[in-house]
Every structure is written in structure tokens, then in C-alpha cells.
Amino acid sequence: MIEIAKYVKAESLEEAYQLNQKKSSTVIGGMLWLKMQKKRVGTAIDLSGLGLDTIEETEEEYRIGAMVSLRQIEQHAGLNALTCGAAKDAVKHIVGVQFRNLATVGGSLFGRYGFSDVLTFFMAIGAKVELYHRGILTVEEFSRLPYDRDILVRVLVPKKAQKTVYLSQRNTKTDFPVLTCCICREEEELRCVIGARPGRAVCLRDEKQILKDGITPESAASFGAYAREQITTGSNLRAGSEYRSILIGVLGKRALLSIASMDGEG
């Protein structure tokens, strides 16, 4: 069980950042994974008073505050319209509604968990994170960074025309995923992101131009096989490496064919 010596509700991002520079300090989000850890926290830093619990829309992007809940993502009409419903699909199996009402986007992303549906989804749709000290990075870049003492302020989702499909395999409906797969096709590129390998999500692009002549059952199967070859998997109590590799090919093919059906291809 977690023990907290001091609780501070930050009055500014600068205050939160300075407090967080001590190794004994921890920024708290929904306190769902954090509270299950066995550790002593010197200062628990609460960002809930900084207005980061809303999703703002501009002409160019959606600006998702770090304290926005996963339930807000699930129910947001604009994000779901932009991503063909993938926003909802990415989070709807995460434990239950009560959990998603508390779990935050910032907490889910900053941890860069190896089981994260949220990381997989935002990486695939080309989202960026705004960090208080480091600035703006793509989620793909951010995922490769070592853990540090920065503050994740918000997630930025560009309003680009896209077709997106999110799929996952789970042993039981609300369990951690055995594997996650999100494919997003924009005019200029296609991104296939695989997570829960188990390990941080990774992004694969169609560098061999397998899909250059369109998505068909044959080209989708070929790309799935290519993804299986390129992405490393491992074993844990939920599944073995070989099974996860097979799933990469299966889910990759299914996601591509779903995208093709949106445009009448295949």
C-alpha cells in the first residue's frame, strides 16, 4: 500500500514541476495504479486545480488535458468522429465505467505501460504530448524516452482526415490485453501500432510499400505477415511470445480490411 507523507494541490504548473524534482515526490492522477504500489511518497502532487480536465477543440486539433478521464475520451463525439470510433474502442474494455471515470489520460500515458491501450491508440493517430519542461513531442518520440521528472500537461490530437481501427485480444473482457493493434491511415502515411507485446507500444510503417496498390485480402495478409516479422514479442502470464506474434498478423490483417471496408476497397 502506498504511504503519503505530504499532499499538495498545486496552484500552478511551475509549482508542480518544482515540487516534482525531488525523487520522493509523485504526481498523482486517478490514483488507480499508483495506490497499489508498495512505496512511500514524500509529496503527492495533485494537478486537479489547474483546469486540465477538459477537451478543447480548435480548428487544427483537440487539446486533451492531463486530468481528462478515460471515460471522457470514450464518450467524446468529436474524437470518435475523427477516429471512426477508435477512441471508444481503445478504452471501453479497461476494467469498467467506474474505473474509467477516475483513470486519467496523463497518468495512463506518462507511465508508458507495457499493457497500455491508451498509448497504442494515441501513438497510432499521430498525437503529440505537451510536456511542461521539454515541450511538444510526438507520442512515438515520447514513448522512447526514459522516465524523468517532467510534467505531462496535455495531449494534442491533429484534426487530419484519417481512417482508424483499434483492436485488442483479451483473455477476459476487462482484463489487461494480450495484444493491442491500432492502424491509422492518413493521406500521406499508414501507421500500425502494436502494444502489450508485452512492452511499450511500437509503430510500424509500410516501408516496403506492401499496400501501395490498395488494401486487398492478399495485401492485408502480406502486411500482417510483415508486421509479425518486424515486431518483437515476449511471454508473460497472459500469453506466450509465439501466440502474440500470431496475433500481430491476425489483428493487423483484420484492422486493414476494416479500413478498406470504410472506403469500399478490398
Side-chain angles (χ1 to χ4, degrees), residues 158-190:
K159 293 168 73 174
K160 294 183 179 180
Q162 60 175 257
K163 296 291 187 297
T164 305
V165 172
Y166 189 93
L167 299 173
S168 66
Q169 176 68 27
R170 286 167 152 80
N171 291 331
T172 58
K173 186 174 181 180
T174 59
D175 194 6
F176 292 120
V178 170
L179 192 89
T180 60
C181 172
C182 189
I183 296 184
C184 177
R185 185 176 72 176
E186 296 176 354
E187 289 185 4
E188 60 270 23
E189 70 172 338
L190 180 139

PDB file of all heavy atoms in Angstrom, residues 158-190:
ATOM      1  N   PRO A 158      -4.103  16.044 -33.795  1.00  0.00           N
ATOM      2  CA  PRO A 158      -4.346  16.831 -35.011  1.00  0.00           C
ATOM      3  C   PRO A 158      -5.630  16.392 -35.700  1.00  0.00           C
ATOM      4  O   PRO A 158      -5.946  15.202 -35.750  1.00  0.00           O
ATOM      5  CB  PRO A 158      -3.117  16.538 -35.873  1.00  0.00           C
ATOM      6  CG  PRO A 158      -2.626  15.213 -35.392  1.00  0.00           C
ATOM      7  CD  PRO A 158      -2.933  15.167 -33.923  1.00  0.00           C
ATOM      8  N   LYS A 159      -6.350  17.358 -36.248  1.00  0.00           N
ATOM      9  CA  LYS A 159      -7.607  17.056 -36.941  1.00  0.00           C
ATOM     10  C   LYS A 159      -7.305  16.804 -38.422  1.00  0.00           C
ATOM     11  O   LYS A 159      -7.633  17.601 -39.288  1.00  0.00           O
ATOM     12  CB  LYS A 159      -8.605  18.201 -36.740  1.00  0.00           C
ATOM     13  CG  LYS A 159      -9.065  18.342 -35.294  1.00  0.00           C
ATOM     14  CD  LYS A 159      -9.816  19.636 -35.036  1.00  0.00           C
ATOM     15  CE  LYS A 159     -11.198  19.634 -35.626  1.00  0.00           C
ATOM     16  NZ  LYS A 159     -11.957  20.846 -35.235  1.00  0.00           N
ATOM     17  N   LYS A 160      -6.678  15.654 -38.688  1.00  0.00           N
ATOM     18  CA  LYS A 160      -6.360  15.249 -40.058  1.00  0.00           C
ATOM     19  C   LYS A 160      -7.328  14.159 -40.495  1.00  0.00           C
ATOM     20  O   LYS A 160      -7.715  13.304 -39.699  1.00  0.00           O
ATOM     21  CB  LYS A 160      -4.927  14.713 -40.144  1.00  0.00           C
ATOM     22  CG  LYS A 160      -3.846  15.747 -39.887  1.00  0.00           C
ATOM     23  CD  LYS A 160      -2.480  15.126 -40.064  1.00  0.00           C
ATOM     24  CE  LYS A 160      -1.368  16.136 -39.844  1.00  0.00           C
ATOM     25  NZ  LYS A 160      -0.025  15.515 -40.009  1.00  0.00           N
ATOM     26  N   ALA A 161      -7.701  14.189 -41.746  1.00  0.00           N
ATOM     27  CA  ALA A 161      -8.581  13.147 -42.274  1.00  0.00           C
ATOM     28  C   ALA A 161      -7.890  11.795 -42.125  1.00  0.00           C
ATOM     29  O   ALA A 161      -6.739  11.627 -42.525  1.00  0.00           O
ATOM     30  CB  ALA A 161      -8.911  13.422 -43.734  1.00  0.00           C
ATOM     31  N   GLN A 162      -8.584  10.847 -41.533  1.00  0.00           N
ATOM     32  CA  GLN A 162      -7.967   9.556 -41.270  1.00  0.00           C
ATOM     33  C   GLN A 162      -9.022   8.459 -41.210  1.00  0.00           C
ATOM     34  O   GLN A 162     -10.212   8.721 -41.033  1.00  0.00           O
ATOM     35  CB  GLN A 162      -7.206   9.579 -39.937  1.00  0.00           C
ATOM     36  CG  GLN A 162      -8.109   9.887 -38.744  1.00  0.00           C
ATOM     37  CD  GLN A 162      -7.377   9.795 -37.410  1.00  0.00           C
ATOM     38  OE1 GLN A 162      -7.524   8.828 -36.686  1.00  0.00           O
ATOM     39  NE2 GLN A 162      -6.597  10.831 -37.102  1.00  0.00           N
ATOM     40  N   LYS A 163      -8.571   7.249 -41.360  1.00  0.00           N
ATOM     41  CA  LYS A 163      -9.372   6.057 -41.111  1.00  0.00           C
ATOM     42  C   LYS A 163      -8.605   5.259 -40.062  1.00  0.00           C
ATOM     43  O   LYS A 163      -7.447   4.891 -40.286  1.00  0.00           O
ATOM     44  CB  LYS A 163      -9.567   5.229 -42.386  1.00  0.00           C
ATOM     45  CG  LYS A 163     -10.357   5.934 -43.477  1.00  0.00           C
ATOM     46  CD  LYS A 163     -11.816   6.104 -43.086  1.00  0.00           C
ATOM     47  CE  LYS A 163     -12.668   6.654 -44.221  1.00  0.00           C
ATOM     48  NZ  LYS A 163     -12.285   7.993 -44.645  1.00  0.00           N
ATOM     49  N   THR A 164      -9.244   4.986 -38.940  1.00  0.00           N
ATOM     50  CA  THR A 164      -8.557   4.335 -37.826  1.00  0.00           C
ATOM     51  C   THR A 164      -9.374   3.167 -37.311  1.00  0.00           C
ATOM     52  O   THR A 164     -10.595   3.259 -37.180  1.00  0.00           O
ATOM     53  CB  THR A 164      -8.315   5.333 -36.677  1.00  0.00           C
ATOM     54  OG1 THR A 164      -7.595   6.471 -37.180  1.00  0.00           O
ATOM     55  CG2 THR A 164      -7.502   4.704 -35.556  1.00  0.00           C
ATOM     56  N   VAL A 165      -8.684   2.083 -36.989  1.00  0.00           N
ATOM     57  CA  VAL A 165      -9.323   0.900 -36.396  1.00  0.00           C
ATOM     58  C   VAL A 165      -8.487   0.446 -35.209  1.00  0.00           C
ATOM     59  O   VAL A 165      -7.257   0.352 -35.310  1.00  0.00           O
ATOM     60  CB  VAL A 165      -9.449  -0.246 -37.419  1.00  0.00           C
ATOM     61  CG1 VAL A 165      -9.941  -1.526 -36.741  1.00  0.00           C
ATOM     62  CG2 VAL A 165     -10.397   0.137 -38.541  1.00  0.00           C
ATOM     63  N   TYR A 166      -9.162   0.190 -34.100  1.00  0.00           N
ATOM     64  CA  TYR A 166      -8.491  -0.293 -32.887  1.00  0.00           C
ATOM     65  C   TYR A 166      -9.015  -1.684 -32.546  1.00  0.00           C
ATOM     66  O   TYR A 166     -10.225  -1.889 -32.438  1.00  0.00           O
ATOM     67  CB  TYR A 166      -8.747   0.642 -31.702  1.00  0.00           C
ATOM     68  CG  TYR A 166      -7.905   0.282 -30.509  1.00  0.00           C
ATOM     69  CD1 TYR A 166      -6.675   0.885 -30.314  1.00  0.00           C
ATOM     70  CD2 TYR A 166      -8.306  -0.699 -29.595  1.00  0.00           C
ATOM     71  CE1 TYR A 166      -5.864   0.523 -29.246  1.00  0.00           C
ATOM     72  CE2 TYR A 166      -7.504  -1.067 -28.539  1.00  0.00           C
ATOM     73  CZ  TYR A 166      -6.282  -0.451 -28.375  1.00  0.00           C
ATOM     74  OH  TYR A 166      -5.471  -0.819 -27.323  1.00  0.00           O
ATOM     75  N   LEU A 167      -8.095  -2.617 -32.358  1.00  0.00           N
ATOM     76  CA  LEU A 167      -8.448  -3.981 -31.981  1.00  0.00           C
ATOM     77  C   LEU A 167      -7.559  -4.444 -30.837  1.00  0.00           C
ATOM     78  O   LEU A 167      -6.405  -4.013 -30.720  1.00  0.00           O
ATOM     79  CB  LEU A 167      -8.269  -4.943 -33.168  1.00  0.00           C
ATOM     80  CG  LEU A 167      -9.108  -4.687 -34.419  1.00  0.00           C
ATOM     81  CD1 LEU A 167      -8.665  -5.628 -35.539  1.00  0.00           C
ATOM     82  CD2 LEU A 167     -10.585  -4.867 -34.128  1.00  0.00           C
ATOM     83  N   SER A 168      -8.077  -5.341 -30.017  1.00  0.00           N
ATOM     84  CA  SER A 168      -7.262  -5.947 -28.966  1.00  0.00           C
ATOM     85  C   SER A 168      -7.738  -7.366 -28.721  1.00  0.00           C
ATOM     86  O   SER A 168      -8.883  -7.711 -29.004  1.00  0.00           O
ATOM     87  CB  SER A 168      -7.338  -5.129 -27.667  1.00  0.00           C
ATOM     88  OG  SER A 168      -8.648  -5.170 -27.118  1.00  0.00           O
ATOM     89  N   GLN A 169      -6.832  -8.166 -28.192  1.00  0.00           N
ATOM     90  CA  GLN A 169      -7.166  -9.531 -27.785  1.00  0.00           C
ATOM     91  C   GLN A 169      -7.012  -9.612 -26.275  1.00  0.00           C
ATOM     92  O   GLN A 169      -5.979  -9.233 -25.728  1.00  0.00           O
ATOM     93  CB  GLN A 169      -6.246 -10.538 -28.470  1.00  0.00           C
ATOM     94  CG  GLN A 169      -6.451 -11.977 -28.034  1.00  0.00           C
ATOM     95  CD  GLN A 169      -7.793 -12.535 -28.474  1.00  0.00           C
ATOM     96  OE1 GLN A 169      -8.341 -12.089 -29.470  1.00  0.00           O
ATOM     97  NE2 GLN A 169      -8.301 -13.515 -27.745  1.00  0.00           N
ATOM     98  N   ARG A 170      -8.046 -10.115 -25.599  1.00  0.00           N
ATOM     99  CA  ARG A 170      -8.030 -10.247 -24.155  1.00  0.00           C
ATOM    100  C   ARG A 170      -8.488 -11.654 -23.769  1.00  0.00           C
ATOM    101  O   ARG A 170      -9.344 -12.226 -24.425  1.00  0.00           O
ATOM    102  CB  ARG A 170      -8.951  -9.208 -23.504  1.00  0.00           C
ATOM    103  CG  ARG A 170      -8.386  -7.787 -23.528  1.00  0.00           C
ATOM    104  CD  ARG A 170      -9.457  -6.765 -23.159  1.00  0.00           C
ATOM    105  NE  ARG A 170      -8.895  -5.575 -22.547  1.00  0.00           N
ATOM    106  CZ  ARG A 170      -8.332  -4.577 -23.217  1.00  0.00           C
ATOM    107  NH1 ARG A 170      -8.279  -4.621 -24.537  1.00  0.00           N
ATOM    108  NH2 ARG A 170      -7.825  -3.539 -22.577  1.00  0.00           N
ATOM    109  N   ASN A 171      -7.929 -12.161 -22.693  1.00  0.00           N
ATOM    110  CA  ASN A 171      -8.366 -13.469 -22.214  1.00  0.00           C
ATOM    111  C   ASN A 171      -9.757 -13.388 -21.593  1.00  0.00           C
ATOM    112  O   ASN A 171     -10.546 -14.328 -21.709  1.00  0.00           O
ATOM    113  CB  ASN A 171      -7.359 -14.017 -21.199  1.00  0.00           C
ATOM    114  CG  ASN A 171      -6.035 -14.375 -21.855  1.00  0.00           C
ATOM    115  OD1 ASN A 171      -5.996 -14.734 -23.025  1.00  0.00           O
ATOM    116  ND2 ASN A 171      -4.953 -14.264 -21.117  1.00  0.00           N
ATOM    117  N   THR A 172     -10.036 -12.271 -20.931  1.00  0.00           N
ATOM    118  CA  THR A 172     -11.381 -11.971 -20.443  1.00  0.00           C
ATOM    119  C   THR A 172     -11.672 -10.511 -20.769  1.00  0.00           C
ATOM    120  O   THR A 172     -10.750  -9.714 -20.954  1.00  0.00           O
ATOM    121  CB  THR A 172     -11.528 -12.193 -18.924  1.00  0.00           C
ATOM    122  OG1 THR A 172     -10.577 -11.388 -18.220  1.00  0.00           O
ATOM    123  CG2 THR A 172     -11.302 -13.653 -18.561  1.00  0.00           C
ATOM    124  N   LYS A 173     -12.920 -10.164 -20.806  1.00  0.00           N
ATOM    125  CA  LYS A 173     -13.345  -8.879 -21.379  1.00  0.00           C
ATOM    126  C   LYS A 173     -12.658  -7.669 -20.764  1.00  0.00           C
ATOM    127  O   LYS A 173     -12.271  -6.744 -21.471  1.00  0.00           O
ATOM    128  CB  LYS A 173     -14.864  -8.745 -21.245  1.00  0.00           C
ATOM    129  CG  LYS A 173     -15.430  -7.512 -21.942  1.00  0.00           C
ATOM    130  CD  LYS A 173     -16.944  -7.508 -21.907  1.00  0.00           C
ATOM    131  CE  LYS A 173     -17.516  -6.285 -22.629  1.00  0.00           C
ATOM    132  NZ  LYS A 173     -18.985  -6.268 -22.604  1.00  0.00           N
ATOM    133  N   THR A 174     -12.524  -7.625 -19.444  1.00  0.00           N
ATOM    134  CA  THR A 174     -11.983  -6.430 -18.787  1.00  0.00           C
ATOM    135  C   THR A 174     -10.565  -6.633 -18.265  1.00  0.00           C
ATOM    136  O   THR A 174     -10.069  -5.822 -17.477  1.00  0.00           O
ATOM    137  CB  THR A 174     -12.904  -5.995 -17.627  1.00  0.00           C
ATOM    138  OG1 THR A 174     -13.004  -7.073 -16.676  1.00  0.00           O
ATOM    139  CG2 THR A 174     -14.287  -5.632 -18.141  1.00  0.00           C
ATOM    140  N   ASP A 175      -9.894  -7.680 -18.704  1.00  0.00           N
ATOM    141  CA  ASP A 175      -8.522  -7.956 -18.279  1.00  0.00           C
ATOM    142  C   ASP A 175      -7.554  -7.078 -19.068  1.00  0.00           C
ATOM    143  O   ASP A 175      -7.920  -6.432 -20.053  1.00  0.00           O
ATOM    144  CB  ASP A 175      -8.209  -9.433 -18.520  1.00  0.00           C
ATOM    145  CG  ASP A 175      -6.939  -9.891 -17.808  1.00  0.00           C
ATOM    146  OD1 ASP A 175      -6.370  -9.100 -17.034  1.00  0.00           O
ATOM    147  OD2 ASP A 175      -6.523 -11.041 -18.033  1.00  0.00           O
ATOM    148  N   PHE A 176      -6.289  -7.073 -18.646  1.00  0.00           N
ATOM    149  CA  PHE A 176      -5.257  -6.432 -19.448  1.00  0.00           C
ATOM    150  C   PHE A 176      -5.201  -7.119 -20.811  1.00  0.00           C
ATOM    151  O   PHE A 176      -5.458  -8.315 -20.916  1.00  0.00           O
ATOM    152  CB  PHE A 176      -3.888  -6.554 -18.774  1.00  0.00           C
ATOM    153  CG  PHE A 176      -3.740  -5.767 -17.515  1.00  0.00           C
ATOM    154  CD1 PHE A 176      -3.448  -6.399 -16.318  1.00  0.00           C
ATOM    155  CD2 PHE A 176      -3.892  -4.393 -17.516  1.00  0.00           C
ATOM    156  CE1 PHE A 176      -3.298  -5.675 -15.156  1.00  0.00           C
ATOM    157  CE2 PHE A 176      -3.743  -3.658 -16.357  1.00  0.00           C
ATOM    158  CZ  PHE A 176      -3.444  -4.303 -15.169  1.00  0.00           C
ATOM    159  N   PRO A 177      -4.860  -6.387 -21.851  1.00  0.00           N
ATOM    160  CA  PRO A 177      -4.817  -7.007 -23.180  1.00  0.00           C
ATOM    161  C   PRO A 177      -3.646  -7.962 -23.347  1.00  0.00           C
ATOM    162  O   PRO A 177      -2.568  -7.744 -22.788  1.00  0.00           O
ATOM    163  CB  PRO A 177      -4.682  -5.803 -24.120  1.00  0.00           C
ATOM    164  CG  PRO A 177      -4.030  -4.750 -23.286  1.00  0.00           C
ATOM    165  CD  PRO A 177      -4.554  -4.945 -21.900  1.00  0.00           C
ATOM    166  N   VAL A 178      -3.866  -9.004 -24.111  1.00  0.00           N
ATOM    167  CA  VAL A 178      -2.790  -9.899 -24.534  1.00  0.00           C
ATOM    168  C   VAL A 178      -1.984  -9.226 -25.638  1.00  0.00           C
ATOM    169  O   VAL A 178      -0.759  -9.341 -25.696  1.00  0.00           O
ATOM    170  CB  VAL A 178      -3.376 -11.231 -25.027  1.00  0.00           C
ATOM    171  CG1 VAL A 178      -2.306 -12.087 -25.700  1.00  0.00           C
ATOM    172  CG2 VAL A 178      -4.004 -11.989 -23.870  1.00  0.00           C
ATOM    173  N   LEU A 179      -2.688  -8.485 -26.506  1.00  0.00           N
ATOM    174  CA  LEU A 179      -2.037  -7.718 -27.570  1.00  0.00           C
ATOM    175  C   LEU A 179      -2.988  -6.613 -28.011  1.00  0.00           C
ATOM    176  O   LEU A 179      -4.202  -6.808 -28.014  1.00  0.00           O
ATOM    177  CB  LEU A 179      -1.705  -8.610 -28.769  1.00  0.00           C
ATOM    178  CG  LEU A 179      -0.769  -7.947 -29.793  1.00  0.00           C
ATOM    179  CD1 LEU A 179       0.686  -8.229 -29.429  1.00  0.00           C
ATOM    180  CD2 LEU A 179      -1.045  -8.431 -31.213  1.00  0.00           C
ATOM    181  N   THR A 180      -2.434  -5.463 -28.362  1.00  0.00           N
ATOM    182  CA  THR A 180      -3.242  -4.373 -28.904  1.00  0.00           C
ATOM    183  C   THR A 180      -2.736  -4.013 -30.293  1.00  0.00           C
ATOM    184  O   THR A 180      -1.542  -4.126 -30.581  1.00  0.00           O
ATOM    185  CB  THR A 180      -3.185  -3.113 -28.012  1.00  0.00           C
ATOM    186  OG1 THR A 180      -1.818  -2.653 -27.920  1.00  0.00           O
ATOM    187  CG2 THR A 180      -3.717  -3.404 -26.619  1.00  0.00           C
ATOM    188  N   CYS A 181      -3.652  -3.581 -31.149  1.00  0.00           N
ATOM    189  CA  CYS A 181      -3.297  -3.221 -32.524  1.00  0.00           C
ATOM    190  C   CYS A 181      -4.161  -2.044 -32.948  1.00  0.00           C
ATOM    191  O   CYS A 181      -5.388  -2.109 -32.884  1.00  0.00           O
ATOM    192  CB  CYS A 181      -3.527  -4.396 -33.463  1.00  0.00           C
ATOM    193  SG  CYS A 181      -3.338  -4.018 -35.216  1.00  0.00           S
ATOM    194  N   CYS A 182      -3.536  -0.959 -33.364  1.00  0.00           N
ATOM    195  CA  CYS A 182      -4.268   0.181 -33.898  1.00  0.00           C
ATOM    196  C   CYS A 182      -3.611   0.603 -35.207  1.00  0.00           C
ATOM    197  O   CYS A 182      -2.400   0.847 -35.247  1.00  0.00           O
ATOM    198  CB  CYS A 182      -4.269   1.350 -32.909  1.00  0.00           C
ATOM    199  SG  CYS A 182      -5.383   2.705 -33.387  1.00  0.00           S
ATOM    200  N   ILE A 183      -4.404   0.655 -36.260  1.00  0.00           N
ATOM    201  CA  ILE A 183      -3.901   1.088 -37.566  1.00  0.00           C
ATOM    202  C   ILE A 183      -4.632   2.358 -37.977  1.00  0.00           C
ATOM    203  O   ILE A 183      -5.863   2.417 -37.925  1.00  0.00           O
ATOM    204  CB  ILE A 183      -4.072  -0.001 -38.626  1.00  0.00           C
ATOM    205  CG1 ILE A 183      -3.211  -1.221 -38.263  1.00  0.00           C
ATOM    206  CG2 ILE A 183      -3.685   0.520 -40.007  1.00  0.00           C
ATOM    207  CD1 ILE A 183      -3.217  -2.322 -39.293  1.00  0.00           C
ATOM    208  N   CYS A 184      -3.869   3.353 -38.350  1.00  0.00           N
ATOM    209  CA  CYS A 184      -4.415   4.634 -38.789  1.00  0.00           C
ATOM    210  C   CYS A 184      -3.860   4.949 -40.173  1.00  0.00           C
ATOM    211  O   CYS A 184      -2.643   4.941 -40.387  1.00  0.00           O
ATOM    212  CB  CYS A 184      -4.029   5.738 -37.806  1.00  0.00           C
ATOM    213  SG  CYS A 184      -4.585   7.387 -38.297  1.00  0.00           S
ATOM    214  N   ARG A 185      -4.760   5.227 -41.110  1.00  0.00           N
ATOM    215  CA  ARG A 185      -4.340   5.594 -42.458  1.00  0.00           C
ATOM    216  C   ARG A 185      -4.719   7.038 -42.724  1.00  0.00           C
ATOM    217  O   ARG A 185      -5.886   7.413 -42.674  1.00  0.00           O
ATOM    218  CB  ARG A 185      -4.970   4.686 -43.515  1.00  0.00           C
ATOM    219  CG  ARG A 185      -4.444   4.988 -44.918  1.00  0.00           C
ATOM    220  CD  ARG A 185      -4.977   4.029 -45.960  1.00  0.00           C
ATOM    221  NE  ARG A 185      -6.388   4.255 -46.240  1.00  0.00           N
ATOM    222  CZ  ARG A 185      -7.074   3.594 -47.175  1.00  0.00           C
ATOM    223  NH1 ARG A 185      -6.476   2.648 -47.886  1.00  0.00           N
ATOM    224  NH2 ARG A 185      -8.349   3.844 -47.374  1.00  0.00           N
ATOM    225  N   GLU A 186      -3.709   7.847 -42.962  1.00  0.00           N
ATOM    226  CA  GLU A 186      -3.905   9.217 -43.410  1.00  0.00           C
ATOM    227  C   GLU A 186      -3.487   9.276 -44.873  1.00  0.00           C
ATOM    228  O   GLU A 186      -2.968   8.306 -45.424  1.00  0.00           O
ATOM    229  CB  GLU A 186      -3.069  10.181 -42.571  1.00  0.00           C
ATOM    230  CG  GLU A 186      -3.475  10.216 -41.103  1.00  0.00           C
ATOM    231  CD  GLU A 186      -2.567  11.105 -40.269  1.00  0.00           C
ATOM    232  OE1 GLU A 186      -1.554  11.603 -40.826  1.00  0.00           O
ATOM    233  OE2 GLU A 186      -2.847  11.299 -39.082  1.00  0.00           O
ATOM    234  N   GLU A 187      -3.690  10.406 -45.497  1.00  0.00           N
ATOM    235  CA  GLU A 187      -3.342  10.522 -46.915  1.00  0.00           C
ATOM    236  C   GLU A 187      -1.862  10.244 -47.159  1.00  0.00           C
ATOM    237  O   GLU A 187      -1.496   9.580 -48.128  1.00  0.00           O
ATOM    238  CB  GLU A 187      -3.690  11.921 -47.418  1.00  0.00           C
ATOM    239  CG  GLU A 187      -5.192  12.174 -47.544  1.00  0.00           C
ATOM    240  CD  GLU A 187      -5.492  13.524 -48.155  1.00  0.00           C
ATOM    241  OE1 GLU A 187      -4.523  14.215 -48.548  1.00  0.00           O
ATOM    242  OE2 GLU A 187      -6.671  13.890 -48.243  1.00  0.00           O
ATOM    243  N   GLU A 188      -1.015  10.735 -46.246  1.00  0.00           N
ATOM    244  CA  GLU A 188       0.422  10.657 -46.504  1.00  0.00           C
ATOM    245  C   GLU A 188       1.080   9.396 -45.948  1.00  0.00           C
ATOM    246  O   GLU A 188       2.183   9.032 -46.357  1.00  0.00           O
ATOM    247  CB  GLU A 188       1.136  11.885 -45.925  1.00  0.00           C
ATOM    248  CG  GLU A 188       0.992  12.058 -44.412  1.00  0.00           C
ATOM    249  CD  GLU A 188      -0.219  12.878 -44.020  1.00  0.00           C
ATOM    250  OE1 GLU A 188      -1.165  12.956 -44.823  1.00  0.00           O
ATOM    251  OE2 GLU A 188      -0.202  13.450 -42.912  1.00  0.00           O
ATOM    252  N   GLU A 189       0.459   8.709 -45.005  1.00  0.00           N
ATOM    253  CA  GLU A 189       1.099   7.524 -44.446  1.00  0.00           C
ATOM    254  C   GLU A 189       0.114   6.620 -43.720  1.00  0.00           C
ATOM    255  O   GLU A 189      -1.015   7.003 -43.408  1.00  0.00           O
ATOM    256  CB  GLU A 189       2.235   7.914 -43.493  1.00  0.00           C
ATOM    257  CG  GLU A 189       1.792   8.537 -42.190  1.00  0.00           C
ATOM    258  CD  GLU A 189       2.957   8.705 -41.221  1.00  0.00           C
ATOM    259  OE1 GLU A 189       3.979   8.011 -41.334  1.00  0.00           O
ATOM    260  OE2 GLU A 189       2.824   9.550 -40.311  1.00  0.00           O
ATOM    261  N   LEU A 190       0.592   5.406 -43.453  1.00  0.00           N
ATOM    262  CA  LEU A 190      -0.159   4.447 -42.654  1.00  0.00           C
ATOM    263  C   LEU A 190       0.706   4.052 -41.469  1.00  0.00           C
ATOM    264  O   LEU A 190       1.889   3.728 -41.636  1.00  0.00           O
ATOM    265  CB  LEU A 190      -0.516   3.220 -43.491  1.00  0.00           C
ATOM    266  CG  LEU A 190      -1.307   2.120 -42.771  1.00  0.00           C
ATOM    267  CD1 LEU A 190      -2.390   1.541 -43.672  1.00  0.00           C
ATOM    268  CD2 LEU A 190      -0.375   0.988 -42.299  1.00  0.00           C
TER     269      LEU A 190
END
